[in-house]
Amino acid sequence: MERTLLILVSIFAVISAYAEITVKASAPSAVAVGQQFRVEYSVNDKATEIRADIEGKGFDVLYGPASGSMSSTQIINGNVTRSITTTFTYTLLATAEGTFTIPAATVKVNGEQHTSNSLTIKVLPADKQDEAGSTANSRKNQQGVGEKVNVDDVHLDLSLSKTDVYEGEAMVATLKLYFRNTPIHSLADAKLPDFDGFTVQDMDLGNPEASLERYKGANYQMYPIKQWLLFPSRTGEITIPKAYVEAVAQVVTRRSTGGWFDFPMDYTSNVEVPLYSAQRTVKVKPLPAGKPVGYSNGVGDFSIKTEMTSNQVKANDALIYRIVIEGTGNLKYVNNPEPEFPADFEVYDPKEDYNARTTSQGLTGRKVIEITIIPRHAGTFTIPGFDFSYFDVKTGKYKTITTETYTLEVEKGIGDSSETSGNVSNFTNANQERLKVLGNDIRYIHKLDAGDITKNQEPFHGTMLYWMFYLVPMLVFIILSIIYRKQMKLNANADLRRTKKANKVANKRLKEANVALKARNQSAFYESLHKAMFGYVSDKLNIKISELTSSNVKLQLENAGVSEAVIDQYNDIVSTCEFARYAPASDDQAMDSLYKKASDCINSLESQIKK
């Protein structure tokens, strides 16, 4: 037993000695003047001392550093792991407006110094509304007629990183929810904006959290609902229509209990607040005239280089010609270059590998194009470089990069019958091989004896074989027509069966959604409800689900004779299901209401679609 403990202690000592020490600093990204907040430094080991240069950086230190440590031990399948976390906390008061940087702090762990990350904190101006005014406004909200939310306390805004861009230039659109004085419980129905005139790329917000932000001269909590990366696809003024979100706010109402022992009590209730964002207009400028040769449709900042697996190969051996494009902008939509290769090289279709991430400046990453080439004959060949041109947004000018020229030595290999000393004709067609000129290019005419010539006594016209050339194709055509008609009938019957069972299948999926609703499984509920709505239209109208989009569903339903009110109801339900993944958790009442709307909508569609 003592030996086992000694081994465990040794293991802990080794792990502690070689584990990487990290010091992470964290604080709010934005605060207001006069607001108190905390800055924390977290160390994944036992730390004894910290030095942080905070005083005089736009903040006053009210308290700190307060230190605390936490240790934990886990035993999983006989493997013992132990962790220690030390936290240093400062309580600060923001004293001046502006953007301030708190430099990296140093902590001492086992006698060694370790450095944290620096912090950038934006200090917003304090709200002009005084405490008395805020209290009066709060009482006005609580004692107003019914349970209402002040219209100035909740806003929906579509924020654009740029409003004056070039065609193809990246810009970011963010749908933001601003709120103050009134907590937001969840988001219900939503109708996201239609970005007609843009190529759209969704951006991953991860796990978004509300943060303080200045909006319309006041400080609000801002929650990012969704974010897109946009590339304008046409010039002129493009209008982005309004977005719609229904926010569920929590309102506290003070009511009297009545009777002899009358005293006021606060009641919390949920209030639905319909929100609309304003229309936004983007001015898209055309790219300057005089596009250079080799323009790649790229807009941004790019670099290009070429590589070749070898400069010396044997005939009929393959090698790779690689093109690497890196940078930031509309990288995904940059045209692949088309280099020129010697005439007798066999060139295969390029293979593309694209890897990029979405950033506020565009798509950042790289695109690799690999072209397999096979030289067929021995000799010395030149693979010329090519021009790669793109539009640099920062300078407002076109830039051209010329790639490297390669010299390839091809040795005689297996299957290569060419003679290096012979004459070779080089054809301009890259798909043709070099042809070796024959020593004697005119052949003698051989004499033919008269006895070798025979006369066909029986004419081909009117023979059985002659008529078979007509009858057989006609017979094959008739057989194929019969088979095709039978197949058409089978397909028609299958579509008819699918159409008739659309309502039955939709009800089955609604039952699955109802089971998830009773279990309060929100993820399964919205997924089943979304399948029921999309699946019904797919089955009823014989359209593949992969071909259904929010834009063509409306057109298909209108062609099927469905009223506009039912179409709007259908789109709202689908949008709510799709939006559930981005919004905070919905309450049970909202889920019950959405389920009833979906059931009524399918019944209305069943009665109106003429199928």
Side-chain angles (χ1 to χ4, degrees), residues 486-538:
K486 287 185 177 180
Q487 189 65 35
M488 288 287 290
K489 289 182 179 180
L490 289 176
N491 292 339
N493 291 336
D495 292 341
L496 184 60
R497 288 195 300 269
R498 180 183 174 190
T499 300
K500 290 185 177 297
K501 290 183 179 181
N503 190 44
K504 183 178 179 180
V505 174
N507 287 329
K508 181 180 179 181
R509 289 169 177 162
L510 283 176
K511 290 181 180 179
E512 295 175 358
N514 191 30
V515 172
L517 176 63
K518 293 180 179 178
R520 299 308 171 194
N521 187 342
Q522 294 188 13
S523 177
F525 169 77
Y526 286 110
E527 181 178 359
S528 299
L529 205 62
H530 186 272
K531 286 182 179 179
M533 302 304 293
F534 251 53
Y536 175 83
V537 174
S538 174

Side-chain angles (χ1 to χ4, degrees), residues 32-46:
V33 174
Q35 178 181 347
Q36 297 182 15
F37 64 99
R38 295 191 304 176
V39 176
E40 292 186 351
Y41 297 89
S42 179
V43 190
N44 63 337
D45 205 331
K46 186 175 181 180

Side-chain angles (χ1 to χ4, degrees), residues 5 36 54 116 125 127 134 190 199 219 229 239 263 332 343 399 425 469 492 495 510 540:
L5 291 176
Q36 297 182 15
I54 299 178
S116 74
D127 285 334
S134 177
T199 301
N219 296 327
L229 186 63
T239 300
F263 59 91
K332 186 177 181 180
K399 285 189 177 181
S425 297
F469 274 110
D495 292 341
L510 283 176
K540 195 68 177 178

